[in-house]
Amino acid sequence: MTLQELVHQAASIYSDKIAVCFDECNNQPPVYYTYKTVVNAASELSNFLQLHCDFQGIREVGLYCHPGINLPSWILGILQVPAAYAPIDPDSPPALSTHFMKKCNLSYILVEKQQINKFKSSFEIFLNYDTLKEHSDLVLFRLHWKNVEGSLMLNNRKQKYEKEEMTNSTNSGNSNEEKSEEHMDVRQKHCLAYVLHTSGTTGIPKIVRVPHVCIVPNIQHFRCELPVPLGFPLLGTVVEVRDTNGFTIQEGHGQVFLGGRNRVCFLDDEMTVPLGIMRATGDLVMVKDGEMFFLGRKDSQIKRHGKRLNIELVQQVAEELQQVDSCAVTWYNQEKLILFMVSKNDLVKEYIFKELQKHLPSHAIPDEILLIDSLPFTSHGKIDVSELNKIYLNDLNLKSECKLNGKEELWEKLQYLWKSILNHSEDPLKVPDESLFLNSGGDSLKSIRLLNEIEKLVGTSVPGLLEIILSSPILEIYNHVLQTVFPDEDLVFSKNYAVKRKFSDINQEETSGKSLRQKSVMTLSCDNELTAFTAVSRGSQILSPNTKFLTKLGLCSSAHSYDLISQTNIQNVESLNPPALIGTSKDPSCVAEVSEEGTYVLAAKMELHVRWRSDTGKCVDASPLVVIPAVDKSSATVYIGSHSHRMMAVDLYSGKVKWEQILGDRIESSACVSKCGNFIVVGCYNGLVYALKSNSGEKYWMFPTEDAVKSSAAMDPTTGLIYIGSHDQHAYALDIYKKKCVWKLKCGGTVFSSPCLSLIPHHLYVATLGGHLLAINPATGNRVWEHSCGKPLFSSPRCCLQYVCIGCVDGNLLCFTHFGEQVWQFSTSEPIFSSPCTSASEQEIFFCSHDCFIYCCDVEGHLQWKFETTSQVYATPFAFRYQEGSSEMLLAAASTDGKLWILESKSGRLQSVSELPGEVFSSPVVWESMLIIGCRNNYVYCLDLLGGYQI
């Protein structure tokens, strides 16, 4: 009896009854298939495979897909060939999947069409393959293993270790057991049902080939006996407990072994296996009075960041690095993953971290690496874990006791950490006093690494250090740490740098705005000169303040705007909804690339074509602002700045530059439009907030803060005030018409992110790198409430009718009521720098994480779906309507490797993916059928979102 025969047996009796039910848990009703539907679809796939596959040796077919309603039909179709089903998890590290496929010598793999892009991008460096044929929602690939490097985990030493482990786990080892003379042969045509790999909990992940005769008894057992009593073996299964010498015991401690005459699986390269063989499980138990009590695992499996991890996998990958002589990994206090390493030469920790990140999932990256002279061993020749833990504890104690011998050693070690984290270790020169971390190749994530390393070095937390790292030169970082560790020491100052930026060298006449010879100067009573417009900015924010109301058109009813919309304005709101995109494609089949003509070529029904690109001179990390005048929509303008100090206004439809203005330093702040529509407000690294005329770029007013301004401004449609944060730890309310600061508030940390305004209640939300989320009265600048999140907040807050949400560096998305009560938190495995955005109904929240996933949660913090990208995501996603008058929405997101992802917002299904020729930290903005985004190749792009195969 085989698995497929069991299904056909049931189908012959219950043809029209439900066989499969699949619920995506996305608030949609479940989908059902009858036995007839399942069997018919399976037979079609079997015929397809028999026609196109030429099997040699063991028959196995890989299946690369996510769970869905068609999965049972696909598995059954493979079994009916007959062939064994080999699942390949799209969420598994490519190196592990490659190891599995090569070890199986897999020749054919079926890939779900929705996973084609991920399959190709994940395995392009590991696999050679041919695309054969398409069948329904699947594509058949033939794999070639000649001249293909094996998995990182395999070399002669590993193969030897693997064979030793195989012997240990398969040998019955019991002197009172008679050896069976009968064998099962894996090469028999109808032998195998499926092929899996172990998690690697007892060494290298093993290949497990499971015969039909091994799995069918389980199903038959459950048919006959429901429920199954706990503690009793399934039909045909033998359970034994053996001591360390391999002898079966009836009392005491031992390891569980499983087997039975036909309960036989094939491990790795085994072709034949004796019937009745017993396998070690790795489970340790105590047997007492005929009952078994679980004690733990023999292996080193742990749960970290919510995922299972065998720490030996980390050790195995690290040992494969050429520079590593030997290493060991410990799970210190069940809190920290520590890698101890003996090196063949002087290693830089940052290099090792980078190498490990190439080959391990994020939850397997060690918290810390310690370089030691030699590994400690027990008298039995095993790694002495307790001694390693002592070494780490001593290291912590030395740091906590501050072994620094004065400020000179602090300066030397700070220089070492700086070079190490920035990959400048080979540079023999001293780091110049005025060097800035971000200008030297640092980024937000590396700044957190430097913070942690410095605090480990000095053995104590250093309040406010992250803000100093991000905004100040190395000498000021040194002074800040010096004050904490050696408070009696005199500070050292560079001649060329003051503790806080001074603006005495900036033309005071210029900052006052008096020298500007403009024909008209706007005042707060600017109603006579209102310009009706719609402004579109990152995170699906679409504002139309010109008729004295705020609305997020067709997207979000946040900021409680509907309370402000009169009946006479409803038609105006509806008329401003973006036109529909073209086409209804759902199945892209490859990642697009830029052709020489500047067009993205996609083998998909939805395509992204370059409409125009504009050279800004340097990296574009800012996000675009699109302003569409109501009287002449064809004159819509994109406003964006770059690292070249250049602020630009570009025609949305043609890409023609309308004006350029050179500011005093680089620009990462995204622009904000004034209430009247006549000014653009943007922050600058030189500490100034610029108000520029929107039609010409002329400088109208410049307001000086005391440090860099990377925060993007928010505009209050009820008062016209502009709110913005600065690295000087203050939030500001500016009246650009009267050219004055209405109020400023010290926020207890650098304000990197952008303020967020709620109209009801009238709150301004501001987040700091000190980990504080503040609710501020926008009229007075007084604190309403404050919450300490414990870790830095790079993400900008986002508010809706009920809640305000924000992402945190600790990997959590936090949700609060407007009264400051934390409602829930949703955890990811890596820092969140992306800001959240909401759906039209405000029932879904979209955000991204450094763990490479795009997430969708409901308003109660429950996961609706997640989509894995190919790199970290800093940018904020953008939700937009797919068709006018339709409830169907799409989501645009950008990962740092330059890929642009278009997903269905309800399901997370991939619609299209394209790639820009550079890193992307800018957030996408969509208007009509155009997506605008900045890129680190110095260009800002406008891409047409097209349906059908248009040229």
Side-chain angles (χ1 to χ4, degrees):
M1 182 71 73
T2 63
L3 289 176
Q4 61 266 31
E5 287 172 342
L6 285 177
V7 176
H8 281 280
Q9 194 178 74
S12 65
I13 305 172
Y14 309 110
S15 175
D16 295 322
K17 290 195 174 182
I18 292 173
V20 181
C21 170
F22 182 71
D23 189 344
E24 288 193 64
C25 300
N26 59 355
N27 296 324
Q28 299 297 316
V31 185
Y32 300 91
Y33 276 1
T34 63
Y35 275 98
K36 182 178 180 179
T37 303
V38 171
V39 169
N40 287 344
S43 297
E44 291 176 3
L45 179 58
S46 299
N47 295 335
F48 169 79
L49 291 172
Q50 288 167 348
L51 180 64
H52 297 290
C53 296
D54 179 20
F55 293 102
Q56 302 291 329
I58 301 173
R59 294 177 167 220
E60 297 169 346
V61 176
L63 181 57
Y64 185 91
C65 69
H66 279 140
I69 188 66
N70 293 309
L71 182 57
S73 300
W74 293 343
I75 296 173
L76 186 60
I78 293 171
L79 294 176
Q80 289 176 174
V81 169
Y85 155 61
I88 315 294
D89 185 359
D91 295 330
S92 181
L96 180 59
S97 294
T98 303
H99 167 67
F100 172 55
M101 289 188 284
K102 184 174 183 182
K103 198 72 172 148
C104 293
N105 198 27
L106 200 65
S107 297
Y108 297 97
I109 183 170
L110 290 165
V111 179
E112 188 178 14
K113 282 185 179 178
Q114 291 182 353
Q115 304 300 325
I116 288 289
N117 296 321
K118 185 171 185 178
F119 175 79
K120 289 184 174 181
S121 61
S122 297
F123 295 103
E124 59 187 359
I125 63 172
F126 295 110
L127 296 179
N128 295 327
Y129 52 80
D130 299 326
T131 307
L132 296 183
K133 293 284 184 178
E134 293 187 13
H135 173 78
S136 187
D137 290 329
L138 296 169
V139 179
L140 178 65
F141 288 84
R142 185 202 300 270
L143 306 180
H144 302 285
W145 295 105
K146 291 182 180 179
N147 302 319
V148 174
E149 289 295 328
S151 163
L152 334 149
M153 295 178 284
L154 293 179
N155 63 10
N156 291 336
R157 178 179 59 197
K158 287 291 176 289
Q159 289 171 347
K160 180 181 177 182
Y161 171 67
E162 194 175 46
K163 289 176 182 176
E164 291 172 354
E165 284 292 304
M166 179 78 69
T167 302
N168 292 337
S169 64
T170 61
N171 185 5
S172 66
N174 198 334
S175 61
N176 59 14
E177 178 182 347
E178 294 184 8
K179 302 293 182 180
S180 171
E181 297 300 326
E182 296 182 78
H183 289 73
M184 187 180 295
D185 195 321
V186 74
R187 291 160 292 193
Q188 293 173 341
K189 188 174 181 180
H190 293 276
C191 177
L192 292 183
Y194 55 89
V195 186
L196 303 171
H197 65 80
T198 67
S199 62
T201 56
T202 56
I204 297 289
K206 297 179 180 65
I207 307 305
V208 183
R209 292 184 170 91
V210 182
H212 286 277
V213 294
C214 184
I215 190 64
V216 168
N218 290 4
I219 298 168
Q220 293 172 329
H221 185 116
F222 280 93
R223 276 182 175 179
C224 302
E225 186 177 344
L226 289 173
V228 179
L230 294 177
F232 290 90
L234 294 174
L235 185 67
T237 304
V238 175
V239 178
E240 293 180 354
V241 178
R242 298 183 179 180
D243 61 20
T244 54
N245 297 317
F247 288 94
T248 303
I249 60 172
Q250 304 301 322
E251 292 279 330
H253 295 75
Q255 181 182 181
V256 175
F257 279 68
L258 291 179
R261 177 174 174 79
N262 290 316
R263 296 305 302 264
V264 173
C265 295
F266 299 85
L267 299 185
D268 288 338
D269 300 324
E270 293 177 340
M271 291 292 115
T272 61
V273 173
L275 298 180
I277 191 171
M278 302 294 288
R279 305 283 196 184
T281 64
D283 291 327
L284 301 179
V285 297
M286 177 180 68
V287 184
K288 185 176 182 180
D289 298 330
E291 291 187 288
M292 289 189 297
F293 299 89
F294 181 71
L295 298 177
R297 292 284 300 169
K298 179 184 177 183
D299 54 54
S300 304
Q301 190 177 98
I302 63 172
K303 188 171 183 181
R304 186 168 184 250
H305 299 328
K307 297 182 180 180
R308 288 198 312 161
L309 170 66
N310 175 27
I311 63 175
E312 289 187 11
L313 173 66
V314 182
Q315 178 178 327
Q316 291 155 12
V317 172
E319 284 180 346
E320 285 301 307
L321 301 177
Q322 292 182 353
Q323 296 83 354
V324 177
D325 187 30
S326 59
C327 64
V329 182
T330 66
W331 182 227
Y332 182 78
N333 280 351
Q334 297 186 336
E335 292 178 350
K336 287 189 174 183
L337 194 64
I338 311 299
L339 174 60
F340 298 86
M341 190 172 292
V342 179
S343 172
K344 299 175 182 177
N345 49 42
D346 292 334
L347 280 176
V348 178
K349 290 182 184 179
E350 186 67 22
Y351 167 79
I352 298 298
F353 274 116
K354 287 181 68 175
E355 288 300 305
L356 293 178
Q357 286 167 356
K358 292 178 183 178
H359 308 304
L360 289 172
S362 58
H363 68 279
I365 303 300
D367 292 297
E368 189 164 348
I369 295 174
L370 278 184
L371 299 180
I372 57 178
D373 295 330
S374 61
L375 293 175
F377 292 91
T378 65
S379 58
H380 299 289
K382 296 185 177 181
I383 296 290
D384 192 335
V385 175
S386 62
E387 189 62 31
L388 288 175
N389 287 335
K390 287 180 183 177
I391 292 173
Y392 180 64
L393 182 60
N394 289 337
D395 185 71
L396 289 177
N397 290 336
L398 286 172
K399 289 174 180 176
S400 65
E401 293 169 5
C402 191
K403 60 178 181 179
L404 294 169
N405 297 318
K407 59 184 183 181
E408 291 79 10
E409 187 175 355
L410 172 62
W411 177 243
E412 289 175 7
K413 294 198 172 180
L414 177 59
Q415 295 246 336
Y416 169 79
L417 291 175
W418 180 283
K419 290 181 182 180
S420 174
I421 290 172
L422 294 176
N423 295 323
H424 297 166
S425 300
E426 296 180 0
D427 187 353
L429 300 177
K430 188 185 82 166
V431 180
D433 293 355
E434 63 277 7
S435 297
L436 292 167
F437 189 74
L438 295 179
N439 289 354
S440 303
D443 56 35
S444 303
L445 203 56
K446 288 180 179 178
S447 70
I448 295 172
R449 286 280 309 281
L450 181 59
L451 167 69
N452 291 336
E453 290 292 338
I454 291 174
E455 290 188 339
K456 288 175 188 174
L457 173 67
V458 300
T460 185
S461 62
V462 184
L465 180 56
L466 183 60
E467 292 94 322
I468 302 295
I469 291 172
L470 288 168
S471 61
S472 304
I474 187 171
L475 185 60
E476 187 172 343
I477 297 172
Y478 165 71
N479 281 328
H480 189 81
V481 178
L482 190 66
Q483 285 180 300
T484 301
V485 183
F486 302 111
D488 297 330
E489 293 281 357
D490 294 330
L491 300 182
V492 181
F493 294 98
S494 168
K495 295 179 181 178
N496 300 321
Y497 197 88
V499 174
K500 281 290 179 186
R501 296 176 184 230
K502 302 297 182 184
F503 294 94
S504 57
D505 57 336
I506 298 175
N507 188 309
Q508 292 300 317
E509 185 182 61
E510 189 177 49
T511 56
S512 70
K514 295 179 181 178
S515 66
L516 296 176
R517 297 176 177 83
Q518 295 178 205
K519 294 180 181 179
S520 63
V521 176
M522 300 298 299
T523 64
L524 191 56
S525 57
C526 60
D527 294 346
N528 295 332
E529 300 186 47
L530 281 175
T531 301
F533 66 89
T534 298
V536 191
S537 56
R538 65 181 179 177
S540 312
Q541 297 182 90
I542 300 186
L543 312 177
S544 187
N546 45 288
T547 50
K548 297 186 178 180
F549 67 86
L550 169 66
T551 183
K552 300 186 177 181
L553 306 172
L555 295 166
C556 300
S557 59
S558 59
H560 327 310
S561 56
Y562 286 177
D563 293 339
L564 303 175
I565 302 176
S566 66
Q567 290 298 316
T568 58
N569 288 326
I570 294 295
Q571 182 60 43
N572 293 335
V573 175
E574 292 176 349
S575 67
L576 287 170
N577 277 333
L581 297 180
I582 306 168
T584 58
S585 164
K586 296 183 180 179
D587 297 314
S589 58
C590 71
V591 174
E593 295 181 351
V594 180
S595 68
E596 291 182 359
E597 295 77 26
T599 299
Y600 285 91
V601 184
L602 273 169
K605 293 180 183 178
M606 177 177 285
E607 299 181 354
L608 279 77
H609 289 245
V610 176
R611 185 185 188 94
W612 54 259
R613 64 174 190 166
S614 186
D615 189 355
T616 70
K618 281 191 177 179
C619 299
V620 187
D621 284 346
S623 301
L625 167 71
V626 180
V627 178
I628 306 99
V631 293
D632 182 14
K633 295 182 182 179
S634 64
S635 65
T637 305
V638 176
Y639 297 95
I640 196 164
S642 86
H643 288 200
S644 66
H645 308 185
R646 194 182 308 174
M647 189 70 199
M648 299 174 62
V650 185
D651 185 271
L652 172 62
Y653 292 94
S654 68
K656 180 181 178 181
V657 177
K658 294 184 176 182
W659 55 256
E660 292 182 353
Q661 177 64 264
I662 304 300
L663 305 187
D665 208 330
R666 70 182 186 182
I667 306 161
E668 287 187 9
S669 169
S670 300
C672 168
V673 66
S674 63
K675 179 182 178 181
C676 63
N678 295 323
F679 300 101
I680 297 298
V681 180
V682 67
C684 185
Y685 261 56
N686 66 354
L688 294 181
V689 180
Y690 290 83
L692 309 175
K693 289 191 68 177
S694 58
N695 63 352
S696 66
E698 290 182 73
K699 296 173 184 175
Y700 170 70
W701 183 47
M702 286 168 284
F703 172 76
T705 73
E706 294 184 32
D707 211 330
V709 180
K710 302 177 191 178
S711 170
S712 302
M715 184 269 293
D716 191 332
T718 62
T719 63
L721 292 180
I722 299 292
Y723 308 108
I724 198 166
S726 169
H727 270 49
D728 67 6
Q729 302 192 16
H730 287 84
Y732 294 86
L734 305 178
D735 185 337
I736 62 171
Y737 305 107
K738 294 181 179 179
K739 300 182 180 178
K740 72 173 187 178
C741 176
V742 177
W743 56 256
K744 77 172 185 176
L745 176 69
K746 188 158 188 178
C747 298
T750 292
V751 183
F752 176 92
S753 63
S754 306
C756 175
L757 183 71
S758 166
L759 293 184
I760 303 174
H762 200 201
H763 285 175
L764 181 72
Y765 295 104
V766 176
T768 78
L769 297 188
H772 299 282
L773 176 64
L774 293 82
I776 302 169
N777 184 325
T780 64
N782 295 327
R783 284 182 178 84
V784 178
W785 56 263
E786 181 175 341
H787 180 89
S788 177
C789 300
K791 291 288 184 179
L793 300 171
F794 285 90
S795 169
S796 299
R798 183 65 181 266
C799 57
C800 57
L801 188 63
Q802 293 178 289
Y803 303 125
V804 56
C805 296
I806 192 166
C808 185
V809 163
D810 65 5
N812 288 313
L813 182 75
L814 306 171
C815 179
F816 302 87
T817 68
H818 288 287
F819 304 101
E821 178 187 359
Q822 183 171 333
V823 185
W824 52 260
Q825 69 178 38
F826 178 88
S827 298
T828 73
S829 59
E830 296 290 341
I832 299 174
F833 284 33
S834 162
S835 303
C837 79
T838 56
S839 63
S841 63
E842 295 192 343
Q843 297 305 301
E844 292 87 29
I845 302 165
F846 309 104
F847 62 99
C848 310
S849 170
H850 280 28
D851 64 7
C852 304
F853 278 95
I854 303 166
Y855 290 89
C856 174
C857 287
D858 64 20
V859 291
E860 295 179 346
H862 301 136
L863 178 67
Q864 300 300 292
W865 54 259
K866 66 177 183 176
F867 176 86
E868 186 173 17
T869 69
T870 50
S871 185
Q872 296 175 336
V873 187
Y874 279 69
T876 300
F878 193 103
F880 59 101
R881 193 175 301 286
Y882 183 57
Q883 290 180 326
E884 187 174 1
S886 167
S887 61
E888 186 172 8
M889 302 286 291
L890 297 180
L891 189 75
S895 49
T896 55
D897 58 0
K899 288 193 175 69
L900 306 178
W901 309 88
I902 308 296
L903 311 176
E904 287 182 353
S905 68
K906 282 291 184 184
S907 65
R909 290 193 182 97
L910 181 65
Q911 295 294 293
S912 183
V913 58
S914 300
E915 186 169 2
L916 294 175
E919 290 185 312
V920 172
F921 290 78
S922 173
S923 299
V925 167
V926 178
W927 178 254
E928 295 182 345
S929 58
M930 292 169 285
L931 184 151
I932 309 96
I933 193 167
C935 182
R936 283 198 165 180
N937 72 334
N938 305 347
Y939 284 85
V940 55
Y941 285 84
C942 178
L943 305 170
D944 281 322
L945 296 163
L946 302 175
Y949 291 89
Q950 302 192 21
I951 299 175

